[in-house]
Amino acid sequence: MKWGFRWYGTEGDSIPIEHIRQIPGINGIIGTLLDKMPGDIWTIDEINALKKDVEAADLELLGIESVSIHDSIKAGTDERDKYIDNYIQTIRNLGSCGVRLICYSFKPIFGWFKTDMNYKLPDGSTTLQFNQAVINDLEPKDLYQRIASQSKGFKISGWEEERLSKFNALVDMYDGVTEAKLFDNLKYFLERVIPVCEEVDVKMGIHPDDPPWEIFDFPRITKNLSDLKRIIEAVDSPYNGLTFCTGALGANPDNDIPEMIRAVGHRINFVHFRNVGYLGEKNFVETAHLSAEGSLDMTAIMEALVDVGYDGILRSDHGRTVWGEVARPGYGLYDRAMGLTYIQGLHEAITKIKANNA
C-alpha cells in the first residue's frame, strides 16, 4: 500500500508541503494543476514543475486528481474528438513525467454536491454536509453561488466560475443526454484513451457520484455496484479502473461497501478512505475517519481491501476542520493526518492478524 495525501500546490493550498512530509508513513502527494480547465492540455513543463515541488519535500507525485473531462466528451457533441485528443496528449505527457495514475469523474455539469461546507459538529469542528431537502428548494443555476459563498476564498475544483458562468449553455449541451447515452459517451472515451494508457503505463480511476443518486434529473452512472461493474466491463483492461471512494458510495446506506470491494477489487486503482454519518433520508455529514464517529464500519472496509490484495495508492479523504485551522473546506491538514494514521493502524492490525492466523 502507498499512503498519499491530496495537495493543491504552493499557490492553491494553505498547507505547506513540508508539514505533509511529517505525517508518519507518508509516501507521496496526489497533485493537481488548479489553473487547468477541462479540455486543456497539461504540458510537460507544468507537470515537471509540480513534480519538482513534491520531490523537494522528499515525497513522490503518486497521481493526479483530476484531469477533468470536457463537457463535450460527456455530452457527446461534435467537438468531443478534439478534446479527447487533448486528453490523450495529457496522458502521454503525464506518462513521460513518470506519473502513473489519473483520478477523474464523468458527471454532467456538477462533479460533486455539498449543501453546507461549514457544518458545525457537536465538538465544535466543521465539516461538509449534504441535505437533499436543501437541494429540492434550489434551482440548478443557484448552486454555484452557494458553493462560492462557502469556499473561504479557495478555488474549488469542479466549480470553476469560468465554466459555470456559461451554465445555460451547459444545460443545453446535455439536453437529451440520458443515462444510457452518458454511459455510451463514457465507453467511447475509454475506447480512445485506454490503449494509450496501456502504452504509456498510466492507470485511470473513475470516481463515483457524490452523492450517489441523481440530482436535478441529470443522469448519474457511477452510483452503485451495478454501475461500477458495467464500467470496468466496457473496456476490459486493468488500466480502466476505479477510484473507490468509501464516503461517496457509502452516502447511500443501500451500498454495502465491503461487498462492493470484494466484487470489483481487482479493478480498484485508487482508494479514497473516509467515513460519513447519516442524519436522515439523503442527509449526511462527513465525519472523522474512525468507525465510531460515523455510520460506516471502517474496519470491515479495510479488511475487504486486504482480502482482495489491494496494494495501490490510498489516501485519507475529506476531513473536518479542527483546532482553528483556516483551510479549504474538507482539506485541512490535521484531521486528514489523524485519519491517515488511523487508516495505517487498521491496515497494520488486520494484515498482522491474518498473517498470524494463516
Side-chain angles (χ1 to χ4, degrees), residues 1-5 25-28 30 60 62 270-271 310-315 340 344:
M1 198 89 75
K2 284 197 171 182
W3 308 109
F5 206 83
I26 190 76
N27 295 117
I30 307 299
E60 180 183 353
L62 296 172
F270 185 28
V271 173
Y310 181 72
D311 63 355
I313 300 162
L314 181 151
R315 71 167 177 83
L340 188 58
Q344 292 168 332

Side-chain angles (χ1 to χ4, degrees), residues 7-26:
W7 183 62
Y8 287 87
T10 55
E11 301 299 323
D13 209 307
S14 60
I15 303 170
I17 195 169
E18 293 80 10
H19 292 183
I20 296 171
R21 178 66 183 85
Q22 295 170 21
I23 300 171
I26 190 76

